[in-house]
Amino acid sequence: MVSSSHEAMHRIFQEDPGVFARTFRTLGLPFPEPVAVSLMPTDLTEIQPLERRVDTLLRIDAAGGDSYLLAVEAQGKKDRGKPGSWAYYVAHLYAKYRLPPLLLVTCQDRSTAEWAAETVVIGPTAWPTLSLRPLVLGPHNVPVFTDVDAAARDIPLATLSAITHGKDPNAGAILKALAAALQTVDEDTAMIFAELTELGLGSAPASQIWRDLMSVDLSFFRSETSQRLRSEGRAMGRAEGRAEDILRILSKRGIAVSEQVRERVVSCSDLDVLSEWLDRSLTAGVGEDLFVATKA
């Protein structure tokens, strides 16, 4: 059964896929700046009978024209069977999409993070066949946010920080900074990340600190009305973000965009249609090519 903290870790990346790039920059990791991020299907089942599902799968299109897949897994404890599953995910994703995959594992305690970061070699000792090297985010490398202004500048990263440091002796100061930062954003955004923080902290002692700081009826976050409103808001936000990605890619490629093309893109709310246009924006010769399907 998927735990609340497990769900919260990967939902942060779904709410704001760009949080990974900002985290990598903070850590000084050499990943190119993304110009577009697309949510991909997470079901990795082949034909029968075993179901395999990665938590979150994103396609990252970088400014230089390179693309890769980011598979996000939340890991709550050591599990000897996980490296085999991760190797399957990576191999299957590469075979299916022909894009280089990156496995990102998020953890909430240092020992699990250190275990997850170990390189796993699969194959005979005399001739290793496959080497698995996850990139791990946890309390050992995710920055601590105790400054309100810094937390307000990047609410998703501050939320990730609060969750990964939920067992830290300084958790109270981190949570206070996040609570104050949430007061600087709109109510819908604040509710989303307040709920994610509560879920992510799980049963840790810091969860009571968080409830006291919020001083609201947390049952509202679990109501049907709340879930429906958040679902509608997220869909609208993803559509707007995808439209912006399309126009940005065309701009980066030097493709002129007429006012008619721009209006059609920004007014579209169908995520499936926008995904098709996003793919076409990578090769379009003119803006109008977005709306013309490529012949097989």
Side-chain angles (χ1 to χ4, degrees), residues 144-146 161-179 197 201 204-207 209-210 213:
V144 170
F145 284 78
T146 56
S161 174
I163 294 173
T164 54
H165 293 277
K167 300 177 182 179
D168 190 287
N170 200 33
I174 299 171
L175 293 173
K176 287 179 182 178
L178 177 59
T197 303
L201 291 172
S207 63
I209 298 176
W210 184 246
L213 288 170

Side-chain angles (χ1 to χ4, degrees), residues 193-206:
F193 287 101
E195 178 188 20
L196 288 178
T197 303
E198 185 202 0
L199 290 173
L201 291 172
S203 59

Side-chain angles (χ1 to χ4, degrees), residues 48-128:
Q48 347 216 359
L50 181 64
E51 179 183 357
R52 294 184 186 270
R53 187 177 297 273
V54 70
D55 290 338
T56 297
L57 180 61
L58 305 171
R59 171 176 170 156
I60 310 297
D61 297 311
D66 296 328
S67 300
Y68 61 95
L69 299 174
L70 179 70
V72 183
E73 277 279 288
Q75 190 64 30
K77 61 182 179 180
K78 298 178 183 179
D79 182 346
R80 293 178 59 186
K82 267 297 181 178
S85 297
W86 291 340
Y88 172 89
Y89 297 160
V90 170
H92 180 78
L93 289 171
Y94 182 72
K96 182 174 182 178
Y97 294 106
R98 293 298 176 185
L99 289 172
L102 171 65
L103 175 63
L104 175 65
V105 180
T106 60
C107 302
Q108 289 183 281
D109 65 88
R110 182 179 291 272
S111 63
T112 301
E114 291 174 348
W115 163 81
E118 295 175 358
T119 299
V120 177
V121 178
I122 299 174
T125 303
W127 197 274

